[in-house]
Structures are given as C-alpha cells and as structure tokens.
Amino acid sequence: MGVSRAPGSAVHLGAGALSGMTSCVLLQPFDLLKTRVQQGQQGQQGQSAPRAARSVIGTVRAVVSSEGVLGLWRGTLPSLMRNAPGTSLYFYFLSQTRAACLGLERWASGDRTRAALGPTSNMAAGASSRALAGFILMPGTVLKVQCESNLNRGAGIAAAARRIWRNGGVRGFFVGAVPTAIRDAPYAGLYLLLYESIKRQERALAHSRDLLLPETAVTMVAGVAAGLLASYITQPFDMVKTRMQLRPQEYRSVAQSFAKIYRDEAVAGFFRGISLRVLRKGIQASLVFTLYEWVLRASSSGDRGAPAKLAA
C-alpha cells in the first residue's frame, strides 16, 4: 500500500471545476425556471405576466411552447462561465481556509495530531470561502440571471453585458452583491456544518450496525440532506438577490427590497420558487461534493477508499 498524500492546489481547482461544470449543465433547467418564477409580475418588455406563468408547471409550459425544450437550457453558457470557475475557486479557498483553521485549532488546543475541524471552524471556512468566490465572480452571476430571464428574450451574453454597462456601468455588474453574500455565506457555512455532521452520523450508524457503506453513498446522502436544509433557511435572500438583479430600478437596496416584497406579496413572496431552488441545491450539492471528493481520493496514492483529506 502506497503512502497517501494530500492533494495539491491544482487538484482542488480541477476537482471543483469538473464538479461545477457537470452539475451546471445537468441542473440548468432548475435555475432557469427558478429565475422565471422569481422575476415576479413583470413579463417581457414590461408587460404583466399571466398567473400561470408564475407557477412552476405554468412556467415549464410557457418556456417549452415559446422556446422549445432546449429553451430550458437557456443561460447555460453564462452559467458555465460563472459556476465552473466559481466552484473551482470555492473549493480552492475552502482547502486553504480549512488548512489555516486546522492549524489554529491545533495551536489553540496544543494537539498537533488533530485531524478534523470543529463545527465552528467548518462553518466559518465554508462561509468565508463562498463569500470570497462569489464576490470575485459576481459579474458572471448578474449576466447569468439576465440571460435566464425573459425580460429581454433573444439577447445574448454580449447584448446583456452592454445593457448592464449602459444602465449601471461597473456597478451594474455587482448589483445584488450584498444579498448574494448574505445568502451564499450563511448557506455555505450551514451546508458545510450540516454536511460534515451528517457524514459523521452516517459513519457512526454504519459502524454500530457493522455495515460497510461506500464513501460515494455517504457523501451523496449527506450532500442532499445538507443542501435541502440550508436552502430553506437562506431562500428569502435568494429572492431579494434575483429581484435586485433583474429590476434594479424597483429594488434598489436590500432593506427596501425586503420591505417591498413583504408589502406586495407577504411572507409567501420570499418563498416563490422555493421548490425549484431546494431541488436544485440538494441535487447540486450532492453531485458537486461527491465528484469533488471522488477526484481528491483518486488523486491520492495508496488507499483510494479513504475519505478525502479535507472532508473529515
């Protein structure tokens, strides 16, 4: 048996990019439908959208009837431009942040052999890594939302970029940065905390019953469960982010957007599209972390069945 070695930075970047690209292409219809449902009362060219178009099933029918089945994958290119490097950067920052947190925990506890992060450090590492990666790639997020919407149907990436620049300059590419960070940082922190906790409980349960669970099954179940829970908690910020990016003249700040959505649509307005986001996030999180940890294990020599170095 060879000696196991920790994956390098290039492996973390490559594993993140692969997992981000795969999940992005497979799950783009969920993202497009969520954006269409969340965009609210304004349809194409400012017209009022039919009530049916504001439901999930009605939105699917509207997209397929007007744009064909492939219309469900509209916005895939900007999604790839955003999510592949975004996931890659996130996992790179996560590996660096967790290594730094582990060093601090070893120093604080005096235990130089400590191998696993505590819950607080996991949450802090996940939140800070996601916030940093999200801010760097915020222009891609704004373009992605614009291309997924039907407010300017038919416009490509270049046209969307020109429109954003014309309406807001450089600041236009960072519209919604605050609610995105408020959504993504807690989501990533909660997700990582729940993900690692659920994995430990799965392994403990399997050990107590003398069961041998494949590592892929452990990560997939933990990924889905953590993604579902974290998505529900952070959903209101996702709604505010989408409205600010699609209709910045109406939704001008985080506080004003929260107040306007509550005044116009009550509490239920914050959870428009929740089923789509929860399904997408749960499946995406499972795919992304399972692929990521599989690549890390495959890149390490020795025991390929051992958990990834930073997954404990």
Side-chain angles (χ1 to χ4, degrees):
M1 183 180 294
V3 178
S4 180
R5 55 183 174 82
S9 297
V11 176
H12 287 285
L13 286 167
L18 174 64
S19 59
M21 290 173 62
T22 304
S23 65
C24 179
V25 173
L26 291 176
L27 301 175
Q28 176 60 21
F30 287 98
D31 235 8
L32 178 134
L33 293 170
K34 178 182 73 70
T35 297
R36 295 288 179 93
V37 171
Q38 286 185 342
Q39 72 184 39
Q41 305 295 319
Q42 293 295 316
Q44 185 182 359
Q45 299 177 345
Q47 297 176 354
S48 177
R51 180 177 299 274
R54 297 197 295 273
S55 70
V56 175
I57 301 300
T59 303
V60 172
R61 290 172 178 167
V63 172
V64 173
S65 65
S66 62
E67 304 172 51
V69 174
L70 291 180
L72 294 170
W73 273 267
R74 184 181 173 198
T76 298
L77 181 57
S79 289
L80 281 170
M81 293 169 60
R82 162 62 180 84
N83 288 337
T87 308
S88 182
L89 281 176
Y90 166 67
F91 280 118
Y92 171 73
F93 291 147
L94 183 63
S95 69
Q96 300 300 310
T97 306
R98 296 180 79 176
C101 288
L102 184 58
L104 287 174
E105 287 193 353
R106 286 173 174 171
W107 174 79
S109 65
D111 180 7
R112 297 295 184 267
T113 63
R114 185 167 186 165
L117 286 176
T120 302
S121 293
N122 264 323
M123 191 166 183
S128 59
S129 299
R130 178 61 72 189
L132 181 56
F135 180 78
I136 292 173
L137 292 163
M138 192 66 209
T141 302
V142 176
L143 278 171
K144 168 181 167 296
V145 171
Q146 288 284 339
C147 290
E148 288 171 350
S149 169
N150 67 352
L151 296 178
N152 297 279
R153 193 168 69 187
I157 297 175
R162 287 194 296 269
R163 183 172 60 253
I164 294 167
W165 176 265
R166 185 172 60 250
N167 294 335
V170 173
R171 291 184 62 183
F173 289 96
F174 289 87
V175 169
V178 173
T180 298
I182 295 173
R183 177 201 66 176
D184 286 354
Y187 172 85
L190 284 168
Y191 176 85
L192 199 59
L193 174 67
L194 293 167
Y195 176 74
E196 299 297 351
S197 176
I198 293 169
K199 279 203 306 183
R200 283 194 297 271
Q201 291 176 17
E202 286 183 84
R203 290 167 180 159
L205 180 62
H207 180 73
S208 67
R209 300 191 177 185
D210 198 24
L211 298 175
L212 182 62
L213 290 178
E215 189 63 23
T216 299
V218 172
T219 56
M220 289 191 72
V221 172
V224 170
L228 293 177
L229 291 170
S231 295
Y232 266 108
I233 295 171
T234 58
Q235 169 65 16
F237 295 102
D238 185 65
M239 170 61 78
V240 169
K241 183 268 305 182
T242 301
R243 291 289 178 87
M244 288 182 68
Q245 289 174 342
L246 288 178
R247 292 148 64 182
Q249 292 79 19
E250 295 179 55
Y251 297 87
R252 299 180 297 276
S253 69
V254 175
Q256 182 265 344
S257 298
F258 266 104
K260 179 173 173 56
I261 293 172
Y262 180 75
R263 182 178 64 251
D264 296 345
E265 305 169 54
V267 173
F270 292 105
F271 292 89
R272 188 185 299 277
I274 181 64
S275 60
L276 293 165
R277 180 169 183 254
V278 165
L279 281 172
R280 181 189 180 280
K281 281 291 187 181
I283 298 171
Q284 181 192 36
S286 178
L287 283 173
V288 164
F289 270 78
T290 298
L291 280 171
Y292 172 72
E293 294 196 3
W294 178 83
V295 172
L296 294 193
R297 291 195 298 274
S299 70
S300 300
S301 61
D303 186 1
R304 300 300 177 93
K309 288 288 184 183
L310 291 175

